């Protein structure tokens, strides 16, 4: 989906969440765009790549994903491959595999749950202190380990530029 259409379709959900909890709608929409490839990869209305850690209660789906770790051991329940790589001058391993992710009935449920995820996890406390400044929020969620990609904050900042030009 093109950025303009993505913003038109999903900004209302992001704005509702911003009104409820104060996390910038631009931050929410940017993460949704990045994690779902602009809506192309959102099976089960899962726009944010939030894992379902129990994998047993029916609100999960097993999907192929990529993770970066410093360990050679693939951390996913079903490993596909592990390749040594250098990221930001650091030796890491790029793992492909299948892991459990949450699924939702609607995009709105997903956007709401994503916001609650930050409040339920203490490691995001610092990010929540800057929740209205999307660039600082990106930095803090990256530091807290939202994603294993060492360039996560930088990538979010780049994607946000495609979001902000359509937000009115």
């Amino acid at each position: 989906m093109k950025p303009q259409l993505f913003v038109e379709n999903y900004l209302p959900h992001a704005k509702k969440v911003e009104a409820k909890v104060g996390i910038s709608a631009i931050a929410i929409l940017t993460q949704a765009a990045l994690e779902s490839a602009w809506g192309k990869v959102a099976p089960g209305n899962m726009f944010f790549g939030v894992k379902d850690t129990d994998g047993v209660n029916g609100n999960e789906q097993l999907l192929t994903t990529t993770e970066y770790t410093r360990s050679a051991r693939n951390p996913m329940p079903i490993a596909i491959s592990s390749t040594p790589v250098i990221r930001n001058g650091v030796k890491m391993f790029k793992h492909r595999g299948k892991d459990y992710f949450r699924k939702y009935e609607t995009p709105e449920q997903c956007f709401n749950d994503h916001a609650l995820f930050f409040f339920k996890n203490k490691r995001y406390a610092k990010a929540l202190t800057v929740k209205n400044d999307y660039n600082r929020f990106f930095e803090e969620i990256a530091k807290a380990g939202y994603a294993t990609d060492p360039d996560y904050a930088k990538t979010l900042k780049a994607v946000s530029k495609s979001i902000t030009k359509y937000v009115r």
Side-chain angles (χ1 to χ4, degrees):
M1 174 178 315
K2 299 276 188 207
Q4 183 175 359
L5 186 57
F6 185 87
V7 171
E8 288 171 7
N9 284 339
Y10 301 110
L11 182 60
H13 302 305
K15 285 193 172 202
K16 283 181 187 175
V17 171
E18 180 181 51
K20 284 183 203 171
V21 299
I23 297 173
S24 162
I26 292 171
I28 295 164
L29 208 54
T30 298
Q31 268 198 288
L34 175 61
E35 295 287 344
S36 72
W38 297 98
K40 290 179 202 151
V41 185
N45 291 304
M46 192 271 303
F47 286 85
F48 297 97
V50 175
K51 292 199 177 157
D52 184 280
T53 54
D54 61 18
V56 296
N57 58 5
N59 68 339
E60 71 281 327
Q61 53 192 333
L62 189 62
L63 302 172
T64 302
T65 189
T66 301
E67 300 284 341
Y68 291 88
T69 71
R70 291 189 182 175
S71 168
R73 185 176 116 16
N74 192 313
M76 289 171 263
I78 300 173
I80 295 173
S81 66
S82 296
T83 308
V85 296
I86 303 294
R87 297 296 296 255
N88 294 332
V90 176
K91 182 180 178 186
M92 300 185 84
F93 292 86
K94 179 181 179 180
H95 304 288
R96 296 276 301 148
K98 292 184 181 275
D99 210 339
Y100 290 96
F101 290 86
R102 294 180 184 179
K103 69 178 177 180
Y104 305 90
E105 294 294 320
T106 65
E108 185 172 7
Q109 285 179 344
C110 177
F111 279 62
N112 284 322
D113 188 52
H114 174 252
L116 292 176
F117 173 81
F118 291 117
F119 286 92
K120 289 179 182 175
N121 290 282
K122 291 179 184 178
R123 67 183 175 163
Y124 299 109
K126 192 166 181 185
L128 291 173
T129 67
V130 294
K131 63 188 176 187
N132 60 341
D133 179 337
Y134 60 92
N135 284 313
R136 291 182 61 207
F137 185 76
F138 297 152
E139 291 166 7
E140 294 303 329
I141 64 171
K143 285 179 195 172
Y146 187 90
T148 59
D149 182 348
D151 293 325
Y152 193 64
K154 181 178 171 183
T155 304
L156 285 168
K157 288 177 184 181
V159 172
S160 72
K161 292 179 175 141
S162 295
I163 300 282
T164 56
K165 64 183 172 184
Y166 298 112
V167 174
R168 297 170 209 343

